Amino acid sequence: MATERELSDFLRSVEKRAFKRSVYHVRDEEAALDIVQDSMMKLAEHYGDKPVAELPMLFQRILSNCTLDWFRRQKTRNALFSNMSDFESASDDGDFDLLETYAVNDDSQQSESAEDATRRAQILREIETEIQALPTRQREAFLMRYWEDMDVAETATAMGCSEGSVKTHCSRAVQALSKALKAKGLQL
């Protein structure tokens, strides 16, 4: 049974990754913030009394469900309404920038040349673009396995599918990313 402090520490530890994962899925920072906040509230309200060891899996499942709920609401809303802002191009201020959240921990990287820093920034943008282009289930499996560092069983539970499906989605995602990045001349 998690204490209030343990629950708070857990939520603090997952908030940034949950936000990044949500932004990759919905491609809208404000919606991603709402999804993460709703997920955290649901975890605290309904599962705050569960053992600390169960919180990561519960939270991942709640986050996935809240994301699916958001897509369902968007589908319904788009069927009923059409916003002119949907047809406008995104401004630079509204774009999610992976580089802003990329923390440089290594001293050797802090003294890299401008050319190396630019090349690294371009590669990160290309990777981010290709991850966003993946089909939803592949992107979800890929991010949980390699971004969230979840094992196959945890990912399968969070996605509500079999372990074999997770392996298939991850394999296809890796192949698609590799092919797309190779086509752009990037070898990782």
Side-chain angles (χ1 to χ4, degrees):
M1 306 327 136
T3 65
E4 192 172 314
R5 176 74 176 170
E6 290 171 328
L7 181 61
S8 177
D9 289 343
F10 168 75
L11 292 174
R12 190 174 301 111
S13 73
V14 298
E15 69 181 331
K16 287 181 183 177
R17 289 184 314 212
F19 172 72
K20 290 176 189 175
R21 178 178 154 201
S22 294
V23 167
Y24 277 125
H25 284 293
V26 301
R27 297 181 176 111
D28 179 354
E29 286 186 6
E30 292 175 12
L33 285 171
D34 290 341
I35 290 168
V36 172
Q37 183 179 20
D38 288 346
S39 300
M40 289 180 164
M41 292 298 295
K42 287 179 181 181
L43 180 74
E45 288 174 15
H46 301 290
Y47 302 102
D49 60 342
K50 296 288 184 183
V52 177
E54 292 181 19
L55 295 180
M57 289 306 302
L58 287 168
F59 181 72
Q60 292 303 323
R61 188 64 180 177
I62 292 168
L63 185 61
S64 293
N65 288 340
C66 285
T67 303
L68 288 173
D69 290 345
W70 182 86
F71 278 113
R72 288 184 192 114
R73 284 191 304 272
Q74 290 302 109
K75 184 176 180 182
T76 303
R77 183 175 87 30
N78 289 339
L80 299 173
F81 304 103
S82 177
N83 295 333
M84 292 307 287
S85 63
D86 291 344
F87 301 105
E88 295 175 5
S89 63
S91 68
D92 291 338
D93 295 335
D95 288 341
F96 174 74
D97 188 1
L98 182 63
L99 296 176
E100 290 178 1
T101 59
Y102 182 72
V104 179
N105 295 328
D106 191 56
D107 290 335
S108 64
Q109 287 182 337
Q110 290 177 345
S111 62
E112 70 184 341
S113 70
E115 180 181 352
D116 290 341
T118 302
R119 185 178 311 118
R120 186 168 47 83
Q122 289 171 341
I123 290 170
L124 285 173
R125 275 194 295 274
E126 292 296 330
I127 292 170
E128 179 185 31
T129 300
E130 293 305 326
I131 288 173
Q132 289 179 350
L134 289 172
T136 304
R137 296 292 278 179
Q138 287 180 20
R139 183 175 55 245
E140 184 177 18
F142 179 83
L143 291 173
M144 283 186 189
R145 288 281 292 126
Y146 303 113
W147 188 276
E148 297 288 335
D149 201 26
M150 296 170 68
D151 65 28
V152 175
E154 291 172 333
T155 304
T157 301
M159 289 178 65
C161 64
S162 69
E163 291 183 20
S165 292
V166 169
K167 291 177 185 178
T168 300
H169 289 310
C170 283
S171 175
R172 289 179 181 164
V174 169
Q175 288 174 355
L177 287 172
S178 176
K179 184 178 177 182
L181 294 174
K182 190 179 228 181
K184 293 182 179 189
L186 297 173
Q187 295 284 337
L188 301 178

